[in-house]
């Protein structure tokens, strides 16, 4: 019964999320009550940080007739038609906070559609065919998300594709005070061909702290290919990376 009510609620959202997101979101919010009580409670526990840093929801109703997978990026298609699963994704996300994205990402759309694209197969993109480095989403921005929601529409038919997660908060809380102090200093960057600084012959982005505070809330920003600007901070980064990999789970 809950599943059919949820399916009906999703079907009643007819605004196009790619042309009129505010209207679309208002319709999603009017149907918030159709989400099963167990789902709402689990998402609320995640929002209040009373649960681990990831939540897996299974057996959600996906549209029966998914369109063919495009051969190029979704935002470049001549007509952006709703897939039919956007309302379900937005309904869960809206329980966590205010949905947002970035203007330079997928033409500013708040719902992104990612799938394999041959030209991206060897790149660190959401449309690739290589293993993603463990990372927090969009690190070192003035505004970054507290949560990232993924909705799988077509699974890997071979069963080999996996999503790895690691609770970075748990890892950081396991470190000693000396390591935490180092991670809170602007000593970490990415190697780049368009450097802001050059240190020991390496072109780097502007060094940033891995641990910082935003509006009084601790923010942890980590990516598997970060480098440190000196030996002490590299040792600390190596220890952090080792612990992240040790608790990562599929």
């Amino acid at each position: 019964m809950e599943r059919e009510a949820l399916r009906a609620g999703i079907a009643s959202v007819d605004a196009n999320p790619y042309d009129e997101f505010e209207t679309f979101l208002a319709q999603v919010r009017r149907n918030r009550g159709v989400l099963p009580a167990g789902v709402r409670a689990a998402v609320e526990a995640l929002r209040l940080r009373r649960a681990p840093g990831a939540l897996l929801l299974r057996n959600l109703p996906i549209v029966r007739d998914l369109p063919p997978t495009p051969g190029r990026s979704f935002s470049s298609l001549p007509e952006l038609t709703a897939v039919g699963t956007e309302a379900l994704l937005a309904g869960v996300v809206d329980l966590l906070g205010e949905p947002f994205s970035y203007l330079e990402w997928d033409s500013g759309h708040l719902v992104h559609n990612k799938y394999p694209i041959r030209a991206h197969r060897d790149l660190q993109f959401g449309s690739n065919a290589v293993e993603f480095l463990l990372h927090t989403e969009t690190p070192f921005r003035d505004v970054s998300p507290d949560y990232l929601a993924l909705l799988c529409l077509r699974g890997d038919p071979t069963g080999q594709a996996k999503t790895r997660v690691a609770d970075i908060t748990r890892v950081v809380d396991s470190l000693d005070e000396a390591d935490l102090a180092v991670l809170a200093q602007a000593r970490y960057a990415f190697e780049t061909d368009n450097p802001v600084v050059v240190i020991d012959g390496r072109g780097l982005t502007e060094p940033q702290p891995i641990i910082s505070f935003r509006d009084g809330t601790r923010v942890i920003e980590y990516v598997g290919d970060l480098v440190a600007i000196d030996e002490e901070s590299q040792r600390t980064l190596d220890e952090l990376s080792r612990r992240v990999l040790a608790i990562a789970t599929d």
Side-chain angles (χ1 to χ4, degrees):
M1 185 67 71
E2 283 185 336
R3 188 179 179 85
E4 289 309 311
L6 180 54
R7 193 182 294 278
I10 293 169
S12 71
V13 176
D14 56 10
N16 189 323
Y18 308 106
D19 292 336
E20 42 186 349
F21 188 83
E22 293 300 328
T23 301
F24 163 81
L25 188 59
Q27 292 180 353
V28 168
R29 286 171 172 165
R30 284 198 295 271
N31 285 278
R32 181 182 290 176
V34 303
L35 284 170
V39 170
R40 295 199 303 271
V43 173
E44 179 71 0
L46 181 64
R47 185 182 71 83
L48 296 175
R49 305 190 188 280
R50 294 173 180 165
L55 174 65
L56 175 62
L57 300 177
R58 298 181 184 273
N59 299 318
L60 295 172
I62 303 297
V63 292
R64 293 183 174 91
D65 297 314
L66 288 172
T69 301
R72 56 178 172 163
S73 63
F74 187 83
S75 59
S76 70
L77 297 178
E79 184 177 358
L80 301 185
T81 303
V83 176
T85 55
E86 294 89 350
L88 175 58
L89 181 63
V92 173
V93 168
D94 192 53
L95 296 175
L96 289 168
E98 184 68 24
F100 81 95
S101 185
Y102 304 99
L103 286 175
E104 66 270 29
W105 281 17
D106 285 13
S107 302
H109 299 135
L110 276 83
V111 177
H112 301 169
N113 291 276
K114 299 298 179 185
Y115 39 80
I117 296 176
R118 188 175 297 278
H120 298 172
R121 63 175 293 110
D122 297 320
L123 305 175
Q124 284 287 315
F125 288 168
S127 48
N128 67 11
V130 299
E131 184 176 355
F132 255 8
L133 296 171
L134 285 166
H135 63 283
T136 51
E137 192 67 19
T138 62
F140 307 134
R141 285 179 178 257
D142 292 336
V143 177
S144 57
D146 293 313
Y147 304 96
L148 174 69
L150 304 173
L151 177 60
C152 180
L153 305 187
R154 285 193 175 101
D156 175 12
T158 71
Q160 296 179 6
K162 298 177 181 179
T163 299
R164 286 197 306 164
V165 295
D167 190 342
I168 190 69
T169 299
R170 175 181 153 199
V171 174
V172 166
D173 287 344
S174 73
L175 297 171
D176 60 33
E177 292 298 324
D179 285 340
L180 294 175
V182 173
L183 293 173
Q185 299 170 31
R187 297 165 75 171
Y188 301 95
F190 297 100
E191 292 193 74
T192 176
D193 294 330
N194 186 27
V196 175
V197 297
V198 177
I199 299 176
D200 294 333
R202 296 182 302 175
L204 303 175
T205 59
E206 181 180 355
Q208 301 281 351
I210 287 177
I211 301 174
S212 60
F213 285 85
R214 185 183 298 142
D215 297 329
T217 299
R218 184 177 67 173
V219 177
I220 304 167
E221 300 176 285
Y222 170 83
V223 182
D225 60 351
L226 277 173
V227 298
I229 65 172
D230 55 57
E231 290 185 4
E232 180 187 32
S233 50
Q234 186 64 56
R235 284 194 298 271
T236 304
L237 177 60
D238 290 344
E239 179 61 17
L240 174 64
S241 298
R242 185 189 68 78
R243 297 191 188 202
V244 166
L245 289 172
I247 72 162
T249 184
D250 299 331

